Structure formats: structure tokens, C-alpha cells
Amino acid sequence: MDDIGLKGTKNGVLLTALSGNCDILVTGDTNLGNQQNLDRFDLAVVLIHPARLVLEQIKPLIPLAIAAFPTAPKHAVTTVGLPRPARGPRAAARPEEPTESS
């Protein structure tokens, strides 16, 4: 983003600036789709979601992200890597297993 003058820009301003000028935004921000109404922006979002957002875990996902470009729908997040984390109350929370005390 630095090379196009958008480094440090808030998500809404960034998406507005890219909308209609870029086809795809590649990000590691797992909250972007929950924080923004993507219907307002004319671009697709590809989320690279490794277990940890560190280079050695991001690099293997780059070919998968690029492969997702042709089918990534606009106004939506396409995730490569781990599934997007669920938001809200745990719908399928399991009760805690009893632990053995000594």
C-alpha cells in the first residue's frame, strides 16, 4: 500500500480508494468482512489466513491465493488457508470433559 500512498489507511477509506480501480484486495485481516459492508465496494477480497500471520506460514498460501483470483466473487471474502473464524456465541460448543483429579 505504501507505493500507492495508502499505507496506514483505515479499511473503509482503503476499500473506497481501491473500489473500481482494483479487482482484488489480498489481506490477512480476518475481521475485514465483518467490519465492512462489502456490498458497497466493487472488488473481491482474498483473505490469506495462516495459523499465524508470519512470513513462513504466509508464503505457502500465496499460490493458493493467486489461484483463487479468477473465481473470487466481488463483494465477498474468499479465504485461503484456515477457515474464517466464527463470530458470535459458540453455536456448537461442547461441554467440558471432566478432568481426573489426583
Side-chain angles (χ1 to χ4, degrees):
M1 294 294 137
D2 196 24
D3 58 330
I4 58 173
L6 295 173
K7 183 176 180 181
T9 304
K10 300 266 186 213
N11 286 340
V13 175
L14 175 65
L15 290 167
T16 298
L18 296 177
S19 183
N21 295 308
C22 296
D23 293 319
I24 299 169
L25 170 65
V26 178
T27 185
D29 183 349
T30 58
N31 292 317
L32 183 71
N34 296 317
Q35 295 172 341
Q36 300 294 324
N37 177 2
L38 297 179
D39 289 334
R40 294 180 40 221
F41 307 105
D42 190 32
L43 70 149
V45 176
V46 174
L47 169 64
I48 295 180
H49 192 206
R52 287 185 38 232
L53 202 55
V54 294
L55 191 56
E56 68 263 3
Q57 292 186 21
I58 294 169
K59 286 169 81 173
L61 297 177
I62 292 173
L64 297 173
I66 293 169
F69 288 0
T71 58
K74 289 188 176 190
H75 314 289
V77 175
T78 301
T79 301
V80 286
L82 299 174
R84 286 182 60 200
R87 297 285 180 226
R90 294 184 196 176
R94 293 184 299 173
E96 284 188 38
E97 295 289 330
T99 57
E100 193 173 303
S101 28
S102 306

